[in-house]
């Protein structure tokens, strides 16, 4: 059986299209705001497929920005969710900006309930360094209880825990969007086809093939009946353009990445390496529960 985890949000966004198809002006409240000196983000208009901010609806955010603290950044429309559910980025929810002032137009489909915000993110580290929360009650974050700046030594124990969580988030950074120009072999379909070919060469019968395409690069999981699951390793290495660099595995389940590091966007390579280990663990746990 072959399962591809779909990029639901991107597909939904493609169906909805641009903001001309967002007929409703959406009233919002502003929440917590924090910026580095000289930076700012001002929201001037929110439109949507519904006048209420809710799941499975699409919204556009227009506004102005000033970036003074960094030479460049990703300006992004995200939602801080209360559930640890991974969703894929949509191309229209992120724009690249450089030092100075300008306007922005961002579009996103609400996949989960949470606290919307427009924020600056470091291009090299992926971590946020300023932004503005907005929304409609009860989903307006008015006191985020942590700071982008270095925490004060006078923080309480509970606040220290939140700061530690933020430190982990800063290390992992945001999900890595799919490159706009990508060799077909490194797409979810390309990786899936390569693994099926390698399995056949290794004499393996795949019970399941799962591709996590929630971000770049795709991560694969295979499940076979009891047998030599490592028989797929050398056939993968033999396929031009791919690399096999270890995995999380048992005798019947293996989770791995075969996209070589040379295919990673240079600005996101460190973030990809930080995130890959955790993504493999999450996918391994998910596939193990499916069996």
């Amino acid at each position: 059986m072959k399962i591809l985890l779909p990029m639901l949000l991107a597909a939904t966004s493609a169906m909805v299209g641009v903001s001309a198809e967002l007929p409703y002006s959406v009233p919002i409240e502003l929440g917590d705001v924090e910026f580095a000196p000289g930076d700012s983000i001002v929201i001037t208009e929110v439109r949507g497929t519904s006048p209420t901010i809710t799941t499975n609806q699409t919204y556009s955010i227009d506004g102005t920005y000033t970036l003074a603290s960094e030479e460049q950044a990703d300006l992004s429309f995200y939602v801080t969710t209360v559930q640890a559910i991974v969703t894929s980025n949509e191309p229209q929810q992120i724009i690249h900006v450089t030092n100075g002032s300008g306007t922005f137009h961002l579009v996103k489909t609400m996949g989960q309930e949470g606290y919307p915000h427009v924020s600056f993110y470091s291009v090299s580290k992926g971590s946020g360094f300023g932004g503005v929360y907005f929304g409609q009650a009860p989903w307006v974050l008015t006191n985020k209880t942590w700071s982008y700046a270095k925490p004060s030594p006078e923080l309480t124990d509970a606040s220290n825990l939140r700061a530690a969580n933020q430190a982990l988030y800063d290390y992992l950074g945001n999900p890595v969007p799919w490159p706009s120009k990508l060799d077909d072999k490194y797409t979810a379909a390309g990786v899936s086809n390569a693994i099926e070919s390698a399995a056949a060469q290794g004499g393996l019968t795949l019970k399941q093939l799962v591709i996590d395409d929630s971000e770049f690069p795709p991560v694969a999981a295979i499940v076979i009946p009891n047998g030599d699951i490592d028989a797929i390793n050398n056939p993968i290495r033999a396929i031009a353009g791919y690399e096999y660099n270890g995995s999380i595995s048992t005798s019947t389940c293996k989770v791995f990445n075969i996209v070589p590091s040379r295919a990673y966007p240079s600005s996101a390579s460190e973030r990809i390496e930080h995130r890959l280990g955790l993504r493999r663990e999450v996918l391994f746990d998910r596939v193990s529960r499916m069996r």
Side-chain angles (χ1 to χ4, degrees):
M1 179 173 68
K2 175 180 174 181
I3 303 175
L4 294 181
L5 301 181
M7 300 178 70
L8 293 177
L9 296 184
T12 304
S13 179
M15 289 188 293
V16 172
V18 297
S19 62
E21 298 180 23
L22 307 178
Y24 296 99
S25 177
V26 181
I28 62 166
E29 305 169 45
L30 293 181
D32 196 290
V33 178
E34 182 186 1
F35 292 104
D39 293 350
S40 68
I41 296 172
V42 178
I43 297 172
T44 57
E45 183 179 27
V46 179
R47 301 194 65 83
T49 52
S50 167
T52 302
I53 298 179
T54 186
T55 57
N56 301 317
Q57 300 295 322
T58 301
Y59 303 91
S60 69
I61 313 296
D62 287 275
T64 62
Y65 70 88
T66 296
L67 177 64
S69 65
E70 300 280 348
E71 287 301 313
Q72 58 180 334
D74 287 331
L75 180 61
S76 307
F77 173 14
Y78 279 116
V79 176
T80 300
T81 62
V82 295
Q83 294 179 317
I85 297 176
V86 176
T87 58
S88 56
N89 286 334
E90 302 171 68
Q92 295 170 296
Q93 78 180 75
I94 303 171
I95 61 170
H96 185 75
V97 298
T98 55
N99 189 275
S101 299
T103 62
F104 64 85
H105 175 77
L106 304 172
V107 181
K108 176 178 173 57
T109 299
M110 290 282 292
Q112 300 290 330
E113 287 187 324
Y115 304 102
H117 60 100
V118 178
S119 301
F120 291 120
Y121 290 89
S122 167
V123 172
S124 59
K125 297 180 180 179
S127 54
F129 59 90
V132 53
Y133 279 83
F134 68 94
Q136 296 173 338
W139 297 106
V140 184
L141 188 61
T142 56
N143 182 11
K144 58 181 168 56
T145 71
W146 53 266
S147 173
Y148 292 110
K150 185 177 180 180
S152 166
E154 290 80 21
L155 288 173
T156 65
D157 289 343
S159 293
N160 277 325
L161 289 174
R162 289 190 290 267
N165 288 337
Q166 182 63 26
L168 178 59
Y169 174 80
D170 288 342
Y171 173 81
L172 293 173
N174 288 306
V176 178
W178 287 76
S180 56
K181 296 181 180 179
L182 183 65
D183 191 315
D184 287 345
K185 68 170 64 75
Y186 303 134
T187 64
V191 167
S192 176
N193 290 336
I195 292 172
E196 287 180 332
S197 176
Q201 290 292 321
L204 295 176
T205 300
L206 297 184
K207 180 180 178 182
Q208 287 183 321
L209 168 57
V210 179
I211 305 294
D212 171 16
D213 61 358
S214 61
E215 62 180 280
F216 182 80
V219 175
I222 61 172
V223 176
I224 67 168
N226 289 331
D228 181 13
I229 200 165
D230 289 332
I232 199 171
N233 299 356
N234 288 333
I236 287 175
R237 294 188 180 102
I239 302 176
Y242 296 102
E243 292 180 0
Y244 176 82
N245 295 308
S247 64
I248 300 172
S249 63
T250 64
S251 61
T252 59
C253 180
K254 180 187 289 286
V255 176
F256 54 101
N257 164 49
I258 63 173
V259 177
S261 59
R262 63 179 178 273
Y264 300 167
S266 58
S267 62
S269 59
E270 182 179 1
R271 185 163 28 127
I272 288 173
E273 293 296 342
H274 288 175
R275 295 181 63 84
L276 271 175
L278 179 60
R279 292 182 61 207
R280 285 192 289 261
E281 291 279 359
V282 170
L283 184 57
F284 182 82
D285 183 68
R286 183 188 306 165
V287 173
S288 296
R289 292 173 184 271
M290 291 168 57
R291 289 188 288 157

